[in-house]
Amino acid sequence: MKELLRDALTDSLKSLKEQYDVDLSTIKIEVKENKEKDFGDFSTNLALVLSKKLSEQPKKIAEILLGELDKKEFIDRIDIAGPGFINFFLSQTSRTEILKTVNKEKNKFGFSQKKEFESDKILIEYVSSNPTGPLHVGHGRGAVFGSVLSSILRATGNQVDEEYYVNDQGRQVEILSLSVWLRYLMIFNQINLFPNNCYQGTYIEELAEELERDYGEKFSITKEIENQISQMLQLDMEEEALDGLISQSKEALNESFDEIKSFALNRILKNIEGDLKDFGVKHNSWFKESTMFRADKDKTPLIYKALDSLQAKKQLYEKDGALWFRSTDFGDEKDRVVKRENGATTYFASDIAYHANKYDRGYSKIINIWGADHHGYLPRVKAAMSALDEDTDKFEVVFIQFANLIRNGKKLSMSTRAGEFISLSELIEEVTSEAARFFYINRKGNQHLDFDLDLAKEQSKDNPLYYIQYAHARICSVFDKLEENKKSYKESIAIDSLDQLNSEQEIEIQKLLSQFPEVVIRSAANYEPHLICYYLRNLAGTFHSYYNNEKILVEKESTLQARLFLISAVRQVVFNGLTILGISAPKTM
RNA sequence: CUCCUCGUAGCUCAGUUGGAUUAGAGCAACUGCCUUCUAAGCAGUGGGUCGCAGGUUCGAGUCCUGCCGAGGAGGCCA
């Protein structure tokens, strides 16, 4: 409908151009929906925008435009109001068009295909938590956000890949391996002390037990090494001492250290993947940091390839024995180390190579979902991409704020350090996966979120998810009742009876339905999934109100069929919206 | 100290990319509505100097600057 109005305005703009001889090609025609029904269904501020360019009174321009606007059949009336707004009043038949559209497009309504441009190939990287422990509630919000955003971007006609970047390299993973091994040795009573800066969770002990079950005594040690290790062990160790212990362990175990490492990593990753699956989150690609260090088919490993090309562009220099990247030349606050004095590359170096690889894979958009605590990290990654002559406009990062869990009106405190965290799987078990998804996404991502556990479990109108799902169930139930009454729904009669739908609420519902495609597009363009939640809440509310006000199963056949047609469109749109959010639309509740 | 995100009703938050007498929801508070298609719901009432001060223009909750306040970030950690 908006399109039709815009087309009509474009035509009248052309003739205006002839009169004034001014270039109007840059003018953007905006057609807006009105909230106040006294002002009509739609309006445009075109005359106001033009007034400066033409140095003419807006009202006069509006009149000229209006004169040029042929009275289209879908328009009932056109007014000029206020300082120069042009208001359009739609005819009754054009309003009900939307119902036919929904009825025709069904599951596809609100989903668009891109015509003018080729669809974008988009990579979304999200979650990417370190594989050193199970996912906790802190990861939940980013997980749902990424998964719903992917779904929204697909709904608007793009091809989307969802990727998890696995940091299976570096110190944290070595501490993990060490932690598992030490717990394992404790099973054999070879040591009896566990350092505080090793990983504390009970899952480490479980991994150690599994290790013992699968490998028996394979990783136990001689008395001599036992003494060496015990001597180094302290409850409170310096970080350096811990590194010493890691090298000592590597020496004692040789290749077996890597065996423990990959055992622990695989178990934890499997666990993470399972938790995500239970949460309705599925990545189709798992990119391991370690793959960038492999020299496949005599090719230079990706990490060195990236560093070499920075080197070739003279963006690296040596200082204090380390290798630095001139990120300040590209707007970063200070230069960053890519290779340490000890020869090891940094995490940042991996990230440079990883992001360069994303570009190499030919994506037209590269989106990262990061926790808000990483925001200081963005300038250096951007700097690196600029230095490599990549188009940084393709690269976008969405920062997600942390969520507080609220129970009995009080914040739950969490400390990762002491292993006191609520795991994601515990949360899902408590409130169900769907409620968790909805509550995480029901807020702008860059906003702090209070997640009220009690509310998420509540089955009443206060819980927006139940309220929305209930609208769907209610409509289904009306159709069930219809059959019980030995009546049936006949679309052909309905389509001929749409003139029955002209109460205020019926018009309001049709307006809302026609907004759905725009809401999806807007939430895709701005990366704002919460808009869909708010939209559905709104639609459900309008329906519940209508339901209470007007009996649907009435005697008069034309009215009955028309109302059924209307609510079945509502049901379809609620269903489509929930589908995008990855949430089910139950038939009964 | 520098940089990010933010500040809207008692609480939790929206606000269609700068639009129209009257800035919207939901909680919470008060008042009504079940012999009826699900009351798991609906209708109504009260509640605001959009943090403060300037600026940009026909027009600002929305854009710019400066203050005030909240949270976060600034490692040869990942």
Side-chain angles (χ1 to χ4, degrees), chain A residues 67-68 155 305 425 478 512 560:
Chain A
E68 299 296 335
K305 207 180 114 193
S425 55
V478 171
L512 276 174
L560 167 70

Side-chain angles (χ1 to χ4, degrees), chain A residues 534-587:
Chain A
Y534 278 88
Y535 170 81
L536 289 176
R537 174 71 183 67
N538 205 327
L539 178 63
T542 311
F543 165 74
H544 284 308
S545 170
Y546 175 62
Y547 175 93
N548 245 265
N549 211 292
E550 210 81 69
K551 197 168 160 65
I552 290 155
L553 299 181
V554 290
E555 281 309 312
K556 192 178 168 193
E557 185 69 4
S558 58
T559 309
L560 167 70
Q561 295 299 341
R563 286 184 181 169
L564 289 173
F565 199 65
L566 177 73
I567 65 169
S568 97
V570 172
R571 176 171 61 179
Q572 184 68 61
V573 171
V574 170
F575 177 88
N576 291 4
L578 287 174
T579 302
I580 289 178
L581 300 182
I583 294 174
S584 69
K587 289 194 165 75

